[in-house]
């Protein structure tokens, strides 16, 4: 009110009109459109022929049935109390694994066990060395995040042969070797594909959809992510076509140049799926460098739900408007509980816990709810 009194009536009226226009634009902007078209339900194919050649899930070779139990609840007590626990992560350069580390540190403080974290740095040689280091250190329990499904088998066997109690999480080994926690990597991205298509139709109508993928082809679960997204998106927009898939390495410094090549080689693209947030953020950075960063470009979608991507998801200036969350808190707690049960002898190599992949509502409330639980400061 004090500010308005210092203005002429005409200027004040103009300022109010401008504020009203901003509010009106926000109400009709990309975030509002994405929020209005958002759903937690899987979409079914409008034209089954459009999705019939998309491969079904390949990484969850043991199926996606989860062992019954209260895996996502903090217990009154844990068998890990007083133990020495080794936690490996694929790479602390990624926000997801930083969050995993933080959640485990909180669990270690609460349940009073000694935690040592091993960083795989997204490098096969480093992971092999950390396996050697873990065996040499001989902890009471190991939560192991494989970098590669195939390589995980001999790595886990070596730790088991050394007498260690081991569970794996995140990446599922290609053979049944130990209890494991993994996600339904097909249906989670399928949900984000459905929401990306809903948003695309709401904002762009019948404009042809041309898709690019920032991929990580060597991991089977990533192929499930890609194929799940395509199944969901083409379920609602059966005429959508894939122009190109590029290897972004799963980390932003590799995804950025790969996405730049993708955009330069396919100027007709208007849909990009990043197999994780580093992949989608690499694409966003490439768009900014090419001066094509705009909500009118099309839609960028990904999975992970890390904190850095939330600024894009909740911004009307960004084309990133569909996201399913890969939940670090859920993974940490499920793995913690499974490792405790393994130390107690209550599991076997066939025991598996399957974690969900919830879509994130792009509204302020939806983003806040997700971050509060999964990425607390």
């Amino acid at each position: 009110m004090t500010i308005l009194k210092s203005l002429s009536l005409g200027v004040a009226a103009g300022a109010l009109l401008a504020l009203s226009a901003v509010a009106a634009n926000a109400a009709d902007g990309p975030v509002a459109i994405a929020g209005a078209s958002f759903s937690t339900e899987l979409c079914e194919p409008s034209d089954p022929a459009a999705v019939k050649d998309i491969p079904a899930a390949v990484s969850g070779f043991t199926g996606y049935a989860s062992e019954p139990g209260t895996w996502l609840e903090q217990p009154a007590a844990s068998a890990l109390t007083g133990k020495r626990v080794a936690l490996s992560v694929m790479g602390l350069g990624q926000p997801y694994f930083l969050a995993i580390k933080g959640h485990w540190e909180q669990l270690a403080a609460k349940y009073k066990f000694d935690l040592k974290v091993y960083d795989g740095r997204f490098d096969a040689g480093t992971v092999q060395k950390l396996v050697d280091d873990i065996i040499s250190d001989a902890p009471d329990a190991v939560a192991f995040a494989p970098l590669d499904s195939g390589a995980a088998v001999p790595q886990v066997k070596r730790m088991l042969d050394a007498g260690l109690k081991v569970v794996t999480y995140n990446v599922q080994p290609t053979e049944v070797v130990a209890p494991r926690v993994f996600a339904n990597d097909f249906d989670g991205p399928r949900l984000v594909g459905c929401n990306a298509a809903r948003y695309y139709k709401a904002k762009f109508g019948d404009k042809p959809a041309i898709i690019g993928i920032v991929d990580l082809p060597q991991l089977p679960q990533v192929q499930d992510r890609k194929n799940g997204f395509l199944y969901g998106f083409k379920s609602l927009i059966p005429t959508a076509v894939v122009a190109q898939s590029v290897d972004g390495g799963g980390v932003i410094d590799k995804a950025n140049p790969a996405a730049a090549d993708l955009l330069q080689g396919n100027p007709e693209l208007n849909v990009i799926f990043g197999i994780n947030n580093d992949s989608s953020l690499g694409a966003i950075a490439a768009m900014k460098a090419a001066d094509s960063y705009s909500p009118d470009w099309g839609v960028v979608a990904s999975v992970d739900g890390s904190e850095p991507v939330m600024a894009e998801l909740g911004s009307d200036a960004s084309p990133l408007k569909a996201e399913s969350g890969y939940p670090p808190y859920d993974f940490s707690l499920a793995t913690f509980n499974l490792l405790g049960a393994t130390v107690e002898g209550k599991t076997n190599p066939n025991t598996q816990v399957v974690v969900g992949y919830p879509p994130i509502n792009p509204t302020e409330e939806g983003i806040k709810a997700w971050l509060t639980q999964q990425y607390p400061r």
Side-chain angles (χ1 to χ4, degrees):
M1 187 64 68
T2 302
I3 294 174
L4 288 179
K5 284 181 179 178
S6 70
L7 300 173
S8 70
L9 289 176
V11 174
L16 289 173
L17 286 172
L19 290 173
S20 298
V22 170
N25 288 337
D28 296 327
V31 171
I33 294 171
S37 57
F38 172 84
S39 175
T40 59
E41 299 297 323
L42 288 169
C43 53
E44 296 301 325
S46 60
D47 179 6
V51 298
K52 68 179 180 64
D53 293 328
I54 296 175
V58 296
S59 71
F61 70 96
T62 56
Y64 287 120
S66 185
E67 182 76 17
T70 55
W71 305 110
L72 296 182
E73 296 180 14
Q74 292 198 14
S78 172
L80 298 183
T81 296
K83 304 295 187 182
R84 295 171 57 246
V85 177
L87 170 72
S88 89
V89 296
M90 291 176 74
L92 289 175
Q94 194 179 79
Y96 169 78
F97 284 105
L98 274 175
I100 290 281
K101 176 177 178 284
H103 288 304
W104 270 89
E105 287 172 343
Q106 291 179 349
L107 291 168
K110 178 174 180 177
Y111 293 98
K112 296 180 171 53
F113 59 88
D114 181 51
L115 178 69
K116 187 171 182 178
V117 180
Y118 294 80
D119 184 2
R121 300 181 182 178
F122 286 97
D123 177 75
T126 302
V127 173
Q128 188 62 44
K129 183 178 184 306
L130 73 78
V131 170
D132 295 337
D133 291 344
I134 289 172
I135 292 173
S136 177
D137 195 45
D140 299 300
V142 182
F144 179 61
L147 183 63
D148 177 84
S149 298
V153 175
Q155 289 167 346
V156 172
K157 286 182 176 178
R158 286 187 58 223
M159 288 187 282
L160 292 173
D161 289 344
L164 303 183
K165 301 289 188 180
V166 183
V167 303
T168 66
Y169 74 97
N170 195 58
V171 171
Q172 185 182 10
T174 55
E175 294 179 20
V176 174
V177 288
R180 57 205 168 272
V181 177
F182 62 100
N184 187 329
D185 282 299
F186 191 87
D187 279 349
R190 181 181 166 191
L191 274 167
V192 83
C194 295
N195 278 325
R198 291 180 182 112
Y199 170 78
Y200 187 93
K201 290 178 71 174
K203 183 167 174 58
F204 300 105
D206 294 330
K207 182 179 179 180
I210 313 297
I211 303 172
I213 309 289
V214 184
D215 201 357
L216 183 58
Q218 60 266 42
L219 291 182
Q221 73 271 22
V222 168
Q223 297 316 291
D224 280 358
R225 293 183 185 186
K226 176 180 72 176
N227 293 326
F229 171 81
L230 292 174
Y231 193 100
F233 195 92
K234 288 174 70 68
S235 288
L236 295 184
I237 305 180
T239 56
V241 296
V242 178
Q244 188 181 0
S245 179
V246 296
D247 186 355
V251 290
I252 195 165
D253 60 339
K254 296 179 182 179
N256 181 216
D261 290 343
L262 176 67
L263 289 164
Q264 184 176 5
N266 303 276
E268 74 281 11
L269 285 183
N270 52 20
V271 179
I272 286 180
F273 174 65
I275 57 87
N276 64 5
N277 281 174
D278 271 20
S279 300
S280 60
L281 289 172
I284 289 293
M287 286 180 170
K288 290 179 177 178
D291 200 26
S292 60
Y293 177 82
S294 165
D296 295 324
W297 175 87
V299 61
V300 177
S302 67
V303 294
D304 264 0
S306 66
E307 187 172 7
V309 91
M310 292 298 106
E312 297 290 336
L313 186 66
S315 170
D316 277 328
S318 176
L320 197 155
K321 286 294 160 283
E323 184 81 13
S324 273
Y326 201 68
Y329 174 77
D330 296 10
F331 261 98
S332 298
L333 192 52
T335 306
F336 164 76
N337 282 323
L338 184 63
L339 189 57
T342 300
V343 167
E344 291 183 296
K346 295 180 179 179
T347 66
N348 62 63
N350 290 303
T351 305
Q352 65 182 33
V353 179
V354 181
V355 176
Y357 235 102
I360 302 169
N361 192 316
T363 62
E364 182 179 355
E365 295 79 9
I367 291 172
K368 182 179 179 180
W370 169 260
L371 290 178
T372 297
Q373 183 177 55
Q374 303 295 338
Y375 287 89
R377 293 190 178 275

